[in-house]
Amino acid sequence: MKFDDKVPIYIQIKNYLYHQILTGTLQPGDKLPSVRQLALDVTANVNTVQRALTEMLSEDIIESQRGKGNFVTTDVDNIKQLRNKLVNEQLTLVYQELHALNLSNDEILSEMKSYMESRDEQHE
Amino acid sequence: MSDLLKIENLIYSHSLKNILHDVNLTVSDGKIVGLLGENGAGKTTLMRLITGSAHGKGTITVAGTSKPAERKSHVSFTEHLGGLSSGMKVGKVFDFYQSVYPDFNIARSNSLIEFLDIDKNLKLSALSKGMKEKLIIALTLSRQADLYLLDEPFGGIDSMSRKKIINSILKWKPEESTMIISDHYVTEIASILDEIVVVKDKTINCHKQADEIREDNDMGIEEFYESLYEGGKQDD
C-alpha cells in the first residue's frame, strides 16, 4: 500500500479497511487477517495496525472475539453509519471548496451534473 | 511496556576527539525505531556502544543489564562480515552463527533463507551488495534477541530487495523485541517506524513518535527530518 507520509499511518490503515468493508471485499461477519498479516499486507508495523484496529473496535465497526481474532460487525446499521460519515466527509470538502469559489447551491448542482456526464462519456 | 534500552549520560571520544556527548535515550520494548543522521553523525558508533563493542563513559542498559558481556547476549547486531574469510561459503556462515549463538533459531533461519532467496553455496566474495544485505538481515533475525540493530540495511540496493528486507522485518521480528534501523534516507522505511531518533551535533537531537510528527506537524517524516537541518524550526 502506498502511504501519504504526511498523514498518520494508523488513519490511512483505518481508511484502507473502511474501504474494504464498504465495497464488500470484507463482508459483515468476515474475519480480519491477523495483525501481523495486515502489517505485511499494507507494509506498516504491528503497533500501528493495532492502533487502527483499537480505534475501529471502539467505533463498533469491528468486534473482537477472544482468542479468535477480529471480525467485521454484523450490525449493518453501524456500517451504514460509517458509509454516511465517509460520504459526508467528502461532500463537505467539495461543498466548502465550491462555496469558497462563490458558487451557489444551484450552480454546484449543475456543475456537478455536467461534470458527471463528461466523466461518464470518457468511460464509455 | 517496559524500558528495553536505556542510555544515560553517554560520552564517547576517540583519539582525543569527542564523537558523542550527553546521549540520553530510552526506548521501550516492541518498537521499530529509525536512527537517523547524516553520514558520519555517529549512528554506527552508537550501535557499537550499545552492543558493547565500543566503550564510552556513561550507562547503557539493555533488558535490565548494563554489564557489557551480558548486554551483548541480548543484542543481535551483525556488525561486519569482514571478519570472516571471503572464501567462506554462505552456508558455513550460518553454521558458524549457529555454533556461536545459543539463541540461534534454526527454523526461523531456514525460513529467512528461503524468503530472501539466499544461495548457501555462494562464497562471501561472490555476493552482490544486495545479497550481502539480505545475508546480514537473515543472520541478524535468526537470533532470538531482545534488541536488533540494523546499520543502513538499504544502502545501494534495488527496490525489490528493499521490499523483501522490509517484509522480512515485519514477518520475523519477535513481537516484544525492539529493532533499531539506521538510515540517512528515511522515506523508504517511514511507514514501518514507530519512532525516530535523530543523531545530530554529536548527540540525540530529537526523539519522536512517527505518527505524532505527521499529526502535530502536518508533515512527512523526511520533511521533518530535513527541517532539523534548516535550523531554528524545531520546537523542542
Side-chain angles (χ1 to χ4, degrees):
Chain A
M1 176 178 171
K2 193 108 187 86
F3 288 110
D4 176 352
D5 195 39
K6 276 191 198 309
V7 179
I9 305 291
Y10 77 94
I11 290 176
Q12 297 182 69
I13 295 171
K14 275 171 71 178
N15 281 329
Y16 165 81
L17 290 170
Y18 286 161
H19 272 257
Q20 294 216 319
I21 292 170
L22 293 179
T23 56
T25 310
L26 283 171
Q27 297 279 341
D30 274 1
K31 187 176 187 300
L32 267 66
S34 69
V35 174
R36 200 179 278 253
Q37 188 55 50
L38 275 171
L40 276 162
D41 289 348
V42 303
T43 318
N45 91 40
V46 289
N47 299 320
T48 316
V49 171
Q50 191 55 61
R51 178 167 181 194
L53 294 180
T54 304
E55 290 202 0
M56 289 174 73
L57 282 168
S58 69
E59 293 164 358
D60 294 324
I61 297 302
I62 59 171
E63 289 158 7
S64 140
Q65 290 181 22
R66 195 187 287 262
K68 286 187 181 168
N70 295 307
F71 295 79
V72 178
T73 180
T74 49
D75 189 336
V76 286
D77 280 346
N78 289 359
I79 297 178
K80 231 179 256 169
Q81 272 175 26
L82 172 67
R83 182 186 168 278
N84 289 344
K85 189 182 143 225
L86 294 187
V87 169
N88 212 1
E89 273 173 17
Q90 294 305 316
L91 289 177
T92 306
L93 283 176
V94 176
Y95 181 82
Q96 283 173 344
E97 290 291 322
L98 294 180
H99 258 275
L101 292 170
N102 282 336
L103 270 74
S104 69
N105 283 352
D106 285 342
E107 283 169 324
I108 290 176
L109 273 174
S110 74
E111 288 289 345
M112 206 60 203
K113 202 161 169 263
S114 62
Y115 174 77
M116 286 191 287
E117 280 163 4
S118 75
R119 280 299 288 255
D120 289 345
E121 272 165 34
Q122 280 171 28
H123 282 263
E124 274 164 16
Chain B
M1 263 194 324
S2 59
D3 294 348
L4 181 74
L5 168 69
K6 198 175 174 83
I7 301 177
E8 293 158 285
N9 306 317
L10 179 70
I11 302 171
Y12 178 75
S13 300
H14 186 71
S15 306
L16 295 175
K17 206 176 153 236
N18 178 247
I19 312 283
L20 289 168
H21 64 79
D22 301 316
V23 174
N24 288 286
L25 178 67
T26 304
V27 179
S28 56
D29 55 359
K31 302 286 182 196
I32 301 181
V33 180
L35 181 64
L36 310 174
E38 291 177 306
N39 290 320
K43 304 188 293 293
T44 307
T45 302
L46 187 57
M47 287 192 170
R48 299 188 68 234
L49 287 161
I50 292 169
T51 47
S53 49
H55 303 280
K57 277 186 204 142
T59 316
I60 301 177
T61 312
V62 177
T65 178
S66 57
K67 291 182 192 141
E70 283 179 28
R71 213 163 67 213
K72 227 173 191 144
S73 70
H74 292 284
V75 185
S76 182
F77 181 35
T78 308
E79 207 171 318
H80 33 55
L81 296 168
L84 303 167
S85 147
S86 63
M88 198 169 184
K89 284 193 176 165
V90 168
K92 286 277 172 214
V93 178
F94 280 95
D95 293 344
F96 173 69
Y97 262 67
Q98 194 186 324
S99 67
V100 173
Y101 295 106
D103 59 2
F104 193 89
N105 182 323
I106 298 168
R108 196 192 296 156
S109 156
N110 288 335
S111 307
L112 280 157
I113 289 170
E114 197 192 328
F115 182 79
L116 293 169
D117 293 319
I118 293 173
D119 184 348
K120 286 167 103 171
N121 293 311
L122 286 177
K123 287 179 179 168
L124 284 180
S125 57
L127 297 182
S128 67
K129 203 160 180 155
M131 276 322 294
K132 220 172 255 175
E133 289 303 339
K134 284 183 185 172
L135 172 60
I136 289 173
I137 299 288
L139 290 169
T140 309
L141 279 173
S142 288
R143 290 183 55 198
Q144 179 69 31
D146 295 305
L147 179 61
Y148 295 89
L149 305 178
L150 293 175
D151 193 13
E152 306 216 348
F154 307 105
I157 68 168
D158 61 273
S159 67
M160 278 317 290
S161 301
R162 188 160 68 222
K163 272 189 194 143
K164 283 230 145 178
I165 287 175
I166 288 176
N167 282 338
S168 52
I169 292 170
L170 296 174
K171 218 170 158 126
W172 282 291
K173 184 186 86 66
E175 212 165 306
E176 324 71 43
S177 70
T178 283
M179 176 176 278
I180 300 180
I181 309 171
S182 78
D183 212 336
H184 56 270
Y185 181 67
V186 61
T187 299
E188 53 203 357
I189 49 165
S191 80
I192 66 161
L193 300 178
D194 288 294
E195 305 172 359
I196 63 158
V197 168
V198 178
V199 182
K200 184 175 174 282
D201 303 325
K202 298 177 183 171
T203 192
I204 305 285
N205 175 280
C206 110
H207 179 193
K208 274 184 186 291
Q209 308 283 326
D211 264 353
E212 240 164 58
I213 292 173
R214 299 184 180 101
E215 205 141 37
D216 300 347
N217 304 49
D218 194 26
M219 48 166 83
I221 306 299
E222 182 82 25
E223 198 185 340
F224 172 78
Y225 171 54
E226 280 171 2
S227 77
L228 298 177
Y229 289 85
E230 283 155 14
K233 270 178 135 181
Q234 74 232 63
D235 54 15
D236 56 353

